């Protein structure tokens, strides 16, 4: 397991342990994590703190040149909102834990030149399947259903 994907999975587990939705993300620049986060919508009462957005928030203010050299790791395929932030800051590469439980805006990201690597990691899939089975209403709220 790649150490950066493992860090994203660890973030997802933190979110689950806090009573939230188990999606985690890290932003890597020059082989170092500069931002990490997990879905904190429930914990913070926030409509926007998805895992990727939390990682951006925790990375803080970075120059465009920094973001253009980053790789974002996320346990789940990025939704429209998170994909918009990825495109805004021109993140060139995303490593996705899985897209079986939710298919985000991968076609849009690819069409804009973002390199995607989808791992179909069993632990990411299992974590989301278990969560969706246990809390379908919370999951539906998170994805706008």
């Amino acid at each position: 397991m790649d150490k950066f994907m493992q860090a994203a999975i660890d973030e997802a587990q933190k979110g689950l342990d806090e009573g939230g939705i188990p999606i985690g993300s890290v932003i890597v620049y020059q082989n170092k994590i500069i931002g990490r986060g997990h879905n904190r919508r429930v914990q913070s009462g926030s409509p926007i703190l998805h895992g990727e957005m939390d990682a951006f928030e925790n990375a803080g203010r970075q120059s465009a040149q920094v973001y253009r050299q980053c790789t974002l790791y996320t346990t789940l395929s990025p939704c429209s909102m998170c994909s918009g932030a990825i495109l805004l800051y021109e993140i060139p590469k995303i490593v996705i834990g899985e897209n079986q439980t939710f298919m985000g805006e991968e076609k849009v990201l690819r069409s804009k030149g973002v390199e995607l690597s989808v791992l179909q990691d069993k632990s990411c899939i299992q974590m989301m399947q278990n969560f969706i089975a246990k809390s379908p209403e919370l999951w539906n709220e998170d994805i706008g259903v």
Side-chain angles (χ1 to χ4, degrees):
M1 168 67 64
D2 177 284
K3 68 180 179 180
F4 298 125
M5 181 51 69
Q6 186 58 58
I9 291 169
D10 293 345
E11 285 293 324
Q13 186 62 52
K14 281 184 195 176
L16 188 61
D17 293 346
E18 293 170 358
I21 298 162
I23 303 168
S25 183
V26 296
I27 300 170
V28 177
Y29 174 68
Q30 295 183 345
N31 214 34
K32 292 182 184 165
I33 296 173
I34 63 167
R36 59 177 65 233
H38 53 275
N39 188 303
R40 295 191 306 118
R41 289 183 70 252
V42 173
Q43 302 91 310
S44 298
S46 168
I48 61 168
L49 280 181
H50 283 189
E52 299 91 337
M53 300 301 277
D54 193 38
F56 274 117
E57 181 71 16
N58 291 323
R61 188 175 162 196
Q62 301 291 332
S63 73
Q65 290 80 10
V66 168
Y67 281 129
R68 286 187 198 119
Q69 297 175 56
C70 288
T71 298
L72 184 142
Y73 291 76
T74 183
T75 58
L76 188 64
S77 185
C79 74
S80 300
M81 175 178 62
C82 297
S83 294
I86 288 162
L87 293 173
L88 177 68
Y89 293 110
E90 299 182 29
I91 303 286
K93 183 176 180 182
I94 308 170
V95 179
I96 299 168
E98 65 103 350
N99 64 8
Q100 290 184 8
T101 59
F102 177 77
M103 175 58 76
E105 297 295 334
E106 293 180 25
K107 286 182 184 176
V108 172
L109 291 165
R110 280 193 178 98
S111 77
K112 300 288 188 175
V114 179
E115 178 186 342
L116 303 182
S117 176
V118 182
L119 305 179
Q120 301 303 14
D121 179 80
K122 288 181 175 38
S123 64
C124 291
I125 295 167
Q126 194 64 57
M127 189 182 301
M128 282 309 299
Q129 285 177 338
N130 291 346
F131 176 78
I132 292 167
K134 182 180 173 193
S135 302
E137 68 294 332
L138 192 53
W139 172 239
N140 288 338
E141 174 190 318
D142 194 65
I143 58 171
V145 173

